[in-house]
Amino acid sequence: MNEQKIPYKIYLSEEEMPRNWYNVRADMKVKPAPLVNPGTLQPMTAADLAPVFCDELIAQELDNDTREVPIPEEILGFYKMYRPSPLVRAYCLEEKLQTPAHIYYKFEGNNTSGSHKLNSAIAQAYYAKKQGLKGVTTETGAGQWGTALSMACAYLGLDCKVYMVKVSYEQKPFRREVMRTYGASVTPSPSMETAVGRKILAEHPGTTGSLGCAISEAVEVATSNPGYRYVLGSVLNQVLLHQSVIGLETKIALDKYGVIPDIIIGCAGGGSNLGGLISPFMGEKLRGERDYRIIAVEPASCPSFTRGKFAYDFCDTGMICPLAKMYTLGAGFIPSPNHAGGLRFHGMSPVLSQLYHDGYMEAVAVEQTAVFEAAEFFARTEGILPAPESSHAIKVAIDEAKKCKETGEAKNIVFGLTGTGYFDLVAYEQFNNGAMTDHIPTDEELAVGLAALPPQPKA
Amino acid sequence: MNEQKIPYKIYLSEEEMPRNWYNVRADMKVKPAPLVNPGTLQPMTAADLAPVFCDELIAQELDNDTREVPIPEEILGFYKMYRPSPLVRAYCLEEKLQTPAHIYYKFEGNNTSGSHKLNSAIAQAYYAKKQGLKGVTTETGAGQWGTALSMACAYLGLDCKVYMVKVSYEQKPFRREVMRTYGASVTPSPSMETAVGRKILAEHPGTTGSLGCAISEAVEVATSNPGYRYVLGSVLNQVLLHQSVIGLETKIALDKYGVIPDIIIGCAGGGSNLGGLISPFMGEKLRGERDYRIIAVEPASCPSFTRGKFAYDFCDTGMICPLAKMYTLGAGFIPSPNHAGGLRFHGMSPVLSQLYHDGYMEAVAVEQTAVFEAAEFFARTEGILPAPESSHAIKVAIDEAKKCKETGEAKNIVFGLTGTGYFDLVAYEQFNNGAMTDHIPTDEELAVGLAALPPQPKA
């Protein structure tokens, strides 16, 4: 294949866009462990989950066998508003690095939510609408997921209640206004609106909130209001299913030009982007058809893969959700407040956790100052101001490209550029002013969260 | 042509992208009036302009005859990083409006500058670099142009000094940080760094600045520092030339599907976007090959086309720049501080002014509350959060589509969506809170600026 013919950006035509999501669980020999009831430690059934989640999403959550799930026409229509996202050949970055590596990134930031989150938001909102619900509740941290969900709900005419981690609500008023412009109600969490919020506020009066705490509030509101269900932007199996559209498009685009990736890199918070990006490649790897090096990149301040424990844990701080088996730092773990780089969730997708546990992927933890250095370098070279989360992947992609320079190997490196950093300028300002520092938790600090894991089901 | 085949988004391949800019002046029977020296009232020569502008840009500024200007390879390479921009068929908007009209928009917001400004920024920075300069100076209001220029300069390794209208510098710290991330120096204007800044501050100690004042400072710094030139993001002929890439791509995309626009709509501040979008269509109109209805949309608070005077005037408040013949409200005119919608410049591109004067286009003025209503409706329907500037065009496009609903006409409406509103959330917040009002200047208010026009050259 003539390399000259690879354009700067590969866009699929509407006909080439995927019409099915791909469920990587179908190809896993060891399936991800089921969600369990924290009281009985028994697997959650569809009936157990029905008060919290929409019926069709529960079916997707529990279905470890169906390989291809047709994307409903209405969702395909919405996808066409902002998809396909471009697969970019980073010619400028390659030249600046003087690397023989070929670098590609799948850029998911060209939509108003600023990230890939919209891929699952529209799916979850669609199934809620189809079930005849009035609205959905959710939590948001940095605000990308909340924005995505409010966009999807505005499109479908659903009510949208967002519980936004208080520190973000205060530090990111613009994110809040985007959600309001899309008609969502946005409440700082913890709030006095919920029992769990009141409890947390009573115990920790000055708290600025956490994702786990906002999840607890959103779940409580969904389960106590008729016509509402809770939706979540990461971690869940269903989310990885919807996000597979990222990887599928990436694979179709690469296949068009006969490019086979050697290394695939994604940032990992709850796993939604990484799980989506790698899914079809992981499928080939699981089926023994082809091997890829797959790298998850997480912040050194919140190192669930590299320093967490593979165990059952709560997804939320309020401990009202089912237990998931995952790499976790403990539901009580909250990263240092000086951590600006996103990816602050204490746990990790059960699917990715199982794959990591079984040796199908690697993980590295990187420090935020190095991440922002890579982000600035990338912005100046490729023109896109990346989200701090995405910049974790950039950092490792650059590191791998530099290794190629040393060895002279022309590896194909593919990474996920999940979104833009337009709402993260407070962190960039901190970096620009030389005021950013790193915080790596000590073993003692981590031991506190890990010691508080709930009772484990018997194997 | 089968309408079903028109995709949601039309992307050109790299091969289809324009390789020449189009200079609409070549097809104008009455050319735009030349810039004149405010002292002598004689036309500015290339030598007169050389201390301010790069040589090759001066040649482009003065060249009313060359129809096609080849885009240098280096600029084509940069364009490929973020172009082609999509031409979007607004299926969702059409359905929501229940209009038989077919609505298309050219979306220029998918780059970090958030607007079309990058098209001219890279060109101007490229010619500065080619001339061996150290750097460039400029002004920025809302910050889109400053961001675009700092991106272009970062890419080429040029120094970039931005004078940012003080009120924006303070109200838009995030814009400032984006520019700093791209390595630009950003100074609030008026500043004590320049003679003109000190003079303005002495006369108006509490001033929050204006675009005209920031222009004066940037020009002074460029002309008093060896190795620097001044660059401007709008108004100038050269800018319209570079921005013709918008219209050329639009036309190629429409031609691919056999679509002939009936109405072409763009917002108009200094004219960079509108001039670029309409140029190839205006060329056909000027050559008598085809007729189009072309509508400029301006804010009712800053109505240069609809209520200004077609006369020679200064482009800057400090009155150190050459005079341009244009529709103007007077160089002293500053829109009401409650005007949030951008497009605050007192004058208008001389090319567009001449075309408007000669009856080749229409202009309408719209109020900002109506503009933000349209913006919010558009955001919820098409998913993109538009810049307030762009939303002026959205407002009129929706109005025209509603007229089509009444008459049953399936007109093809094309408008320019110049950028995104991610850095305009203060204005959206004002609108969301019901705190936005309109301000239409009275005839008496306008008379002040118009009375202060400089002496006019003899015809």
Side-chain angles (χ1 to χ4, degrees):
Chain A
M1 180 66 56
N2 182 348
E3 190 206 319
Q4 291 310 313
K5 288 192 180 158
I6 297 177
Y8 278 62
K9 287 178 291 176
I10 308 174
Y11 282 109
L12 306 183
S13 71
E14 287 185 2
E15 292 68 37
E16 291 169 319
M17 285 171 67
R19 302 188 66 84
N20 299 295
W21 292 305
Y22 164 65
N23 182 4
V24 74
R25 286 168 282 160
D27 284 310
M28 291 169 71
K29 277 173 213 95
V30 184
K31 307 292 182 191
L35 298 171
V36 304
N37 181 306
T40 65
L41 299 184
Q42 292 303 306
M44 300 288 287
T45 64
D48 294 334
L49 292 167
V52 181
F53 296 117
C54 307
D55 299 342
E56 200 141 343
L57 291 168
I58 294 170
Q60 292 181 354
E61 190 65 27
L62 300 178
D63 181 353
N64 286 340
D65 303 309
T66 308
R67 184 174 275 113
E68 308 270 339
V69 178
I71 307 174
E73 278 304 323
E74 294 83 347
I75 298 176
L76 285 173
F78 189 87
Y79 278 175
K80 284 178 192 166
M81 286 212 302
Y82 72 99
R83 306 200 68 81
S85 70
L87 181 73
V88 185
R89 173 74 187 268
Y91 283 115
C92 300
L93 185 61
E94 292 170 18
E95 200 188 309
K96 197 72 157 262
L97 293 172
Q98 290 288 303
T99 175
H102 296 189
I103 310 175
Y104 298 83
Y105 55 90
K106 182 69 168 168
F107 180 42
E108 293 285 318
N110 275 348
N111 70 72
T112 290
S113 79
S115 81
H116 66 292
K117 294 288 186 185
L118 206 46
N119 303 328
S120 186
I122 184 61
Q124 296 191 46
Y126 166 79
Y127 291 118
K129 174 90 175 178
K130 201 178 155 202
Q131 195 173 322
L133 298 176
K134 276 197 287 195
V136 290
T137 71
T138 199
E139 79 298 327
T140 199
Q144 293 174 334
W145 167 247
T147 307
L149 190 68
S150 55
M151 289 173 68
C153 287
Y155 182 79
L156 296 170
L158 272 180
D159 186 35
C160 179
K161 295 183 194 295
V162 179
Y163 289 80
M164 187 170 186
V165 177
K166 191 181 275 175
V167 61
S168 300
Y169 183 90
E170 283 161 3
Q171 289 182 356
K172 299 198 172 189
F174 292 175
R175 269 287 182 201
R176 180 189 74 209
E177 284 312 317
V178 179
M179 290 184 257
R180 287 183 67 206
T181 301
Y182 283 94
S185 75
V186 188
T187 306
S189 165
S191 76
M192 295 299 283
E193 288 181 10
T194 64
V196 65
R198 288 188 293 271
K199 180 164 176 280
I200 291 169
L201 281 171
E203 287 167 9
H204 311 278
T207 181
T208 53
S210 72
L211 213 50
C213 160
I215 293 175
S216 303
E217 289 205 83
V219 169
E220 181 183 322
V221 171
T223 50
S224 54
N225 283 283
Y228 283 80
R229 290 294 184 283
Y230 168 71
V231 294
L232 177 65
S234 194
V235 183
L236 296 174
N237 299 342
Q238 61 188 265
V239 175
L240 266 69
L241 175 70
H242 307 147
Q243 294 294 0
S244 68
V245 70
I246 305 172
L248 292 164
E249 281 187 9
T250 302
K251 188 152 186 347
I252 294 166
L254 289 172
D255 284 350
K256 270 177 84 163
Y257 292 89
V259 177
I260 298 168
D262 296 291
I263 310 177
I264 304 166
I265 302 167
C267 63
S272 66
N273 146 69
L274 180 70
L277 174 67
I278 67 175
S279 60
F281 303 98
M282 184 59 86
E284 290 184 314
K285 191 164 173 166
L286 289 164
R287 296 190 301 270
E289 294 165 11
R290 185 163 272 155
D291 198 18
Y292 302 100
R293 210 180 138 207
I294 296 174
I295 309 176
V297 190
E298 61 183 13
S301 339
C302 191
S304 26
F305 266 139
T306 52
R307 298 176 67 197
K309 213 163 152 179
F310 188 43
Y312 268 100
D313 195 9
F314 287 99
C315 292
D316 64 323
T317 313
M319 305 187 178
I320 64 174
C321 289
L323 303 181
K325 189 173 181 193
M326 56 186 177
Y327 278 86
T328 179
L329 299 165
F333 179 82
I334 295 180
S336 157
N338 84 353
H339 173 62
L343 312 172
R344 303 170 68 91
F345 189 63
H346 66 276
M348 182 57 66
S349 142
V351 169
L352 294 184
S353 293
Q354 189 65 51
L355 290 167
Y356 177 65
H357 186 72
D358 293 342
Y360 288 102
M361 47 191 275
E362 308 164 31
V364 292
V366 291
E367 297 176 26
Q368 67 175 350
T369 49
V371 165
F372 275 83
E373 263 165 41
E376 186 194 84
F377 179 77
F378 183 82
R380 293 185 183 188
T381 310
E382 284 283 320
I384 296 169
L385 187 79
E389 294 81 5
S390 325
S391 305
H392 287 71
I394 294 174
K395 159 70 180 147
V396 172
I398 290 175
D399 287 349
E400 291 295 331
K402 285 179 178 168
K403 285 184 204 161
C404 286
K405 189 180 174 184
E406 284 168 27
T407 61
E409 290 171 288
K411 285 187 182 166
N412 290 317
I413 300 173
V414 175
F415 71 91
L417 189 70
T418 55
T420 52
Y422 306 142
F423 293 96
D424 302 287
L425 270 307
V426 169
Y428 273 98
E429 182 175 15
Q430 209 183 355
F431 176 75
N432 291 335
N433 292 339
M436 182 173 277
T437 56
D438 292 310
H439 178 78
I440 304 176
T442 61
D443 288 342
E444 290 69 31
E445 283 168 327
L446 287 185
V448 180
L450 292 172
L453 293 180
Q456 302 289 307
K458 293 196 181 121
Chain B
M1 180 67 54
N2 183 350
E3 190 205 319
Q4 290 312 312
K5 288 191 182 159
I6 297 178
Y8 278 62
K9 286 177 291 176
I10 309 175
Y11 282 108
L12 306 183
S13 71
E14 287 185 2
E15 292 68 37
E16 292 170 319
M17 284 170 69
R19 302 189 66 84
N20 298 295
W21 291 306
Y22 165 65
N23 181 5
V24 73
R25 286 168 282 161
D27 284 310
M28 291 169 73
K29 279 174 212 91
V30 184
K31 306 293 181 190
L35 298 171
V36 303
N37 179 306
T40 64
L41 300 184
Q42 293 302 308
M44 300 288 286
T45 62
D48 294 335
L49 293 166
V52 181
F53 296 118
C54 307
D55 298 342
E56 201 143 342
L57 292 167
I58 294 171
Q60 292 182 353
E61 190 65 26
L62 299 178
D63 181 353
N64 286 340
D65 303 308
T66 307
R67 183 174 276 113
E68 309 271 340
V69 178
I71 307 174
E73 279 304 322
E74 294 83 346
I75 298 177
L76 285 173
F78 189 87
Y79 278 175
K80 284 178 191 166
M81 283 211 305
Y82 71 100
R83 306 200 68 82
S85 70
L87 181 74
V88 184
R89 172 75 186 270
Y91 283 115
C92 300
L93 186 61
E94 292 171 17
E95 199 188 309
K96 195 73 157 261
L97 293 171
Q98 289 287 302
T99 176
H102 296 189
I103 309 175
Y104 298 83
Y105 55 90
K106 182 68 168 169
F107 180 42
E108 292 285 318
N110 275 349
N111 69 72
T112 291
S113 81
S115 82
H116 66 293
K117 294 288 186 184
L118 206 47
N119 303 328
S120 186
I122 184 61
Q124 297 191 46
Y126 167 77
Y127 292 118
K129 174 90 174 178
K130 201 178 156 202
Q131 196 173 320
L133 298 176
K134 275 197 288 195
V136 291
T137 72
T138 199
E139 79 296 328
T140 200
Q144 292 174 335
W145 167 247
T147 307
L149 190 67
S150 56
M151 289 172 68
C153 287
Y155 182 76
L156 296 169
L158 273 179
D159 186 37
C160 180
K161 294 181 194 298
V162 180
Y163 289 81
M164 187 170 186
V165 178
K166 192 182 274 175
V167 61
S168 300
Y169 183 91
E170 284 162 2
Q171 288 183 356
K172 299 196 170 188
F174 292 174
R175 271 285 184 204
R176 182 188 74 209
E177 285 310 317
V178 179
M179 290 184 260
R180 288 182 67 205
T181 301
Y182 283 94
S185 76
V186 188
T187 307
S189 165
S191 77
M192 295 299 283
E193 289 181 9
T194 65
V196 67
R198 288 188 294 270
K199 181 164 175 279
I200 292 169
L201 281 171
E203 286 168 10
H204 310 280
T207 181
T208 53
S210 73
L211 213 47
C213 159
I215 294 175
S216 303
E217 290 205 84
V219 170
E220 181 183 322
V221 172
T223 51
S224 54
N225 283 282
Y228 283 80
R229 292 294 185 282
Y230 168 71
V231 295
L232 179 64
S234 193
V235 182
L236 296 175
N237 299 342
Q238 60 188 264
V239 175
L240 267 69
L241 176 69
H242 308 147
Q243 294 295 358
S244 68
V245 70
I246 304 173
L248 292 164
E249 280 187 10
T250 302
K251 188 152 186 350
I252 295 166
L254 290 170
D255 284 351
K256 270 177 83 163
Y257 291 91
V259 177
I260 298 168
D262 296 291
I263 311 177
I264 303 166
I265 301 167
C267 63
S272 66
N273 145 68
L274 180 69
L277 174 67
I278 67 174
S279 59
F281 304 99
M282 184 59 85
E284 290 185 313
K285 190 163 174 168
L286 288 164
R287 296 191 300 270
E289 294 165 11
R290 185 165 272 155
D291 198 18
Y292 300 101
R293 210 178 140 209
I294 295 174
I295 308 176
V297 190
E298 60 184 14
S301 341
C302 190
S304 27
F305 266 139
T306 52
R307 298 176 69 198
K309 214 163 149 178
F310 188 41
Y312 267 100
D313 195 9
F314 287 98
C315 291
D316 64 323
T317 313
M319 304 187 179
I320 62 173
C321 289
L323 302 180
K325 190 173 180 191
M326 56 185 179
Y327 279 85
T328 179
L329 299 165
F333 179 83
I334 295 179
S336 157
N338 84 353
H339 173 62
L343 313 172
R344 304 171 67 91
F345 189 61
H346 66 275
M348 182 57 66
S349 143
V351 168
L352 294 183
S353 293
Q354 190 64 51
L355 290 166
Y356 178 65
H357 186 71
D358 293 343
Y360 288 101
M361 47 190 274
E362 307 165 32
V364 293
V366 291
E367 297 175 26
Q368 68 175 350
T369 49
V371 165
F372 276 83
E373 264 166 40
E376 187 193 83
F377 179 77
F378 182 82
R380 294 185 183 188
T381 310
E382 284 284 320
I384 296 170
L385 186 80
E389 295 80 6
S390 325
S391 305
H392 287 71
I394 294 173
K395 158 71 181 147
V396 172
I398 289 175
D399 287 350
E400 292 295 331
K402 285 180 179 168
K403 285 183 203 161
C404 287
K405 188 180 176 183
E406 283 167 27
T407 62
E409 289 170 291
K411 284 187 183 166
N412 290 318
I413 299 172
V414 175
F415 72 91
L417 189 70
T418 55
T420 51
Y422 307 141
F423 293 96
D424 301 288
L425 270 307
V426 169
Y428 272 98
E429 181 174 16
Q430 209 183 356
F431 176 76
N432 291 337
N433 292 340
M436 182 173 279
T437 56
D438 291 311
H439 178 78
I440 304 177
T442 63
D443 288 342
E444 290 69 31
E445 283 170 325
L446 287 186
V448 179
L450 293 172
L453 294 180
Q456 301 290 306
K458 293 195 180 121

